[in-house]
Amino acid sequence: MTMNNIYLVGFMGTGKSSVGRRLARERKIDFVDLDQLIEEREKKTISDIFKEKGESYFRALERKLLQEIASRANQVVACGGGVVIDPENIKLMKNSGTVVCLSATPEVIMERTRKANHRPLLNVPDPLETICALLADRQKFYSQADITIDTSEISIKEVAGRVLNSLPTL
Ligand code: S3P
């Protein structure tokens, strides 16, 4: 069986979950949200996991659940923004599907994440500064995706359309 998953990676606020849900609906395939799966397994919010167990515990869990997901096919998988930091995760995703990176400008990311407080990494006094610093740190990881789509100025529907157009074959 060919592993034809679509993995959506990219920074917080670039639209991975919204685009993922739409893609799955359009293609009539399964949608998996990795962060949501982590919350279900732990019966805790991401914020509480970070607070009570720390980031490295979260990263280990993220990797383990990604391994479970990658053993199945025909899914759209929305990943958390930090999944790409682990080279094993990138390998796993590339071996079981196409890695699509959604991007956006720091200002757009700031605007989209401003109202929500469920992202521990952006719960800081100067989120824009943190966004810029994290983006710079992570650029080398995000650039390993097979395809990158800038979502700053286009709708969820349009992003989904571009993802579908740029996929090899599904
Ligand atoms: C993280 C992104 C979050 C979540 C966690 C860590 C990151 O996911 O996994 O807060 O390191 O960028 P979203 O990108 O879905 O917000």
Side-chain angles (χ1 to χ4, degrees):
M1 177 172 50
T2 47
M3 300 296 263
N4 53 359
N5 295 319
I6 304 170
Y7 294 99
L8 297 173
V9 304
F11 205 78
M12 295 170 264
T14 52
K16 302 178 295 280
S17 299
S18 313
V19 171
R21 246 188 305 273
R22 184 170 185 116
L23 275 174
R25 200 172 64 224
E26 282 185 18
R27 299 302 300 225
K28 298 188 172 54
I29 57 178
D30 289 338
F31 172 65
V32 182
D33 191 302
L34 183 49
D35 277 345
Q36 202 182 319
L37 204 61
I38 292 172
E39 291 187 330
E40 282 166 16
R41 288 287 171 94
E42 287 291 289
K43 299 188 176 57
K44 274 192 186 103
T45 63
I46 303 285
S47 290
D48 283 345
I49 300 171
F50 266 69
K51 229 184 303 169
E52 293 168 21
K53 308 227 168 150
E55 182 170 349
S56 56
Y57 178 89
F58 172 81
R59 296 295 173 205
L61 200 59
E62 188 176 48
R63 183 175 178 179
K64 181 169 162 269
L65 292 184
L66 184 66
Q67 280 166 347
E68 279 182 28
I69 292 167
S71 67
R72 301 189 292 268
N74 293 312
Q75 328 157 81
V76 179
V77 187
C79 301
V83 82
V84 293
I85 294 168
D86 186 334
E88 288 301 316
N89 288 347
I90 297 196
K91 225 185 281 173
L92 201 60
M93 291 189 284
K94 287 207 171 195
N95 287 336
S96 54
T98 305
V99 181
V100 179
C101 181
L102 303 186
S103 70
T105 63
E107 290 72 22
V108 167
I109 290 171
M110 168 82 177
E111 198 46 42
R112 289 184 188 159
T113 56
R114 209 164 46 95
K115 286 175 218 96
N117 60 358
H118 64 271
R119 293 184 175 94
L121 295 177
L122 299 183
N123 245 337
V124 292
D126 188 348
L128 188 58
E129 192 184 302
T130 303
I131 289 167
C132 291
L134 269 178
L135 271 175
D137 272 0
R138 291 181 175 181
Q139 196 40 49
K140 57 182 176 294
F141 303 116
Y142 292 134
S143 66
Q144 294 176 49
D146 299 305
I147 300 157
T148 298
I149 297 165
D150 187 345
T151 71
S152 302
E153 285 171 15
I154 56 177
S155 66
I156 291 165
K157 182 177 174 198
E158 202 167 345
V159 179
R162 289 199 197 177
V163 173
L164 291 176
N165 282 336
S166 57
L167 287 176
T169 43
L170 197 70

